[in-house]
């Protein structure tokens, strides 16, 4: 996947709203976005579907202003993260008004498996989960995470450390931060 191909497809789409160009961009980037959305959304398919759809809607509305300071995929991921954060704020407000208390945590699993790891990851607070997913699953660096999330690099590092400590504890391997 090259930036040159993305640039060409974006130019074609912007010039004439070329449906073939959009479909090519969609097919190139949606599987990655969907995987990230599922992890950020705690494995919930409906949440991931909504996040990816909202990401593309926002991206298409802002595509004319994209300046290629980063890869298109990085820019799309930043939009997805912002969509996730907005939906989490709305969800948290709704939960707080309905329940008046924080959501209960996921009980620690008895043995480690992919499903239990995904459940433990889903139970992390949003900020921890975002950093753990971006760092360990997608290979982003702390400076990239800081830029994408609009946080300090040190915050990224501390949230990663605390998130990993909570994961270890949830999987039966240590104390929480």
């Amino acid at each position: 996947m090259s930036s040159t191909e993305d640039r060409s497809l974006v130019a074609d789409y912007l010039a004439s709203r070329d449906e073939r160009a959009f479909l090519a961009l969609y097919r190139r980037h949606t599987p990655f976005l969907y995987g990230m959305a599922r992890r950020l959304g705690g494995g919930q398919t409906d949440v991931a579907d909504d996040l990816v759809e909202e990401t593309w809607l926002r991206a298409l509305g802002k595509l004319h202003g994209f300046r290629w300071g980063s890869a298109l995929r990085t820019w799309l991921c930043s939009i997805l993260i912002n969509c996730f954060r907005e939906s989490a704020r709305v969800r948290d407000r709704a939960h707080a008004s309905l329940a008046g208390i924080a959501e209960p945590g996921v009980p620690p699993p008895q043995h480690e498996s992919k499903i239990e790891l995904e459940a433990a990851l889903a139970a992390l607070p949003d900020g921890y989960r975002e950093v753990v997913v971006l760092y360990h699953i997608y290979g982003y660096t702390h400076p990239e995470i800081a830029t994408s999330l609009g946080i300090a690099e040190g915050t990224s590092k501390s949230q990663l450390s605390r998130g990993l400590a909570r994961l270890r504890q949830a999987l039966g391997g240590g104390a929480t931060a």
Side-chain angles (χ1 to χ4, degrees):
M1 179 165 324
S2 77
S3 178
T4 305
E5 292 172 71
D6 281 342
R7 284 178 186 254
S8 175
L9 290 168
V10 167
D12 290 347
Y13 174 76
L14 290 175
S16 62
R17 297 292 187 234
D18 183 346
E19 186 175 336
R20 285 177 288 157
F22 170 72
L23 286 174
L25 287 167
Y26 185 87
R27 288 182 182 128
R28 287 171 74 124
H29 298 289
T30 296
F32 184 85
L33 292 171
Y34 186 76
M36 179 179 278
R38 278 194 51 118
R39 286 194 170 89
L40 288 173
Q44 298 177 23
T45 304
D46 57 334
V47 171
D49 290 341
D50 291 345
L51 287 172
V52 170
E53 180 180 349
E54 184 64 23
T55 297
W56 278 110
L57 288 172
R58 289 185 188 187
L60 292 178
K62 296 178 181 182
L63 197 54
H64 65 280
F66 181 54
R67 300 289 176 235
W68 300 97
S70 63
L72 181 65
R73 178 169 287 179
T74 303
W75 181 68
L76 291 168
C77 288
S78 294
I79 294 171
L80 182 126
I81 290 165
N82 287 334
C83 290
F84 170 74
R85 287 178 152 189
E86 289 173 21
S87 70
R89 280 192 294 272
V90 169
R91 182 194 70 229
D92 290 347
R93 275 190 234 121
H95 282 287
S97 66
L98 291 174
I101 57 171
E103 291 182 280
V106 174
Q110 297 303 311
H111 62 281
E112 194 169 340
S113 73
K114 183 175 179 180
I115 293 170
E116 290 167 335
L117 179 58
E118 289 287 345
L121 190 59
L124 288 176
D126 292 341
Y128 293 174
R129 185 172 58 250
E130 290 170 352
V131 174
V132 169
V133 166
L134 291 173
Y135 188 85
H136 277 291
I137 296 174
Y138 293 104
Y140 281 59
T141 64
H142 286 294
E144 291 169 331
I145 293 169
T147 300
S148 293
L149 299 180
I151 59 176
E153 191 174 332
T155 302
S156 174
K157 291 176 182 178
S158 69
Q159 286 185 333
L160 177 64
S161 176
R162 291 176 180 155
L164 291 175
R166 287 211 183 170
L167 280 176
R168 280 190 294 276
Q169 190 228 6
L171 296 170
T176 188

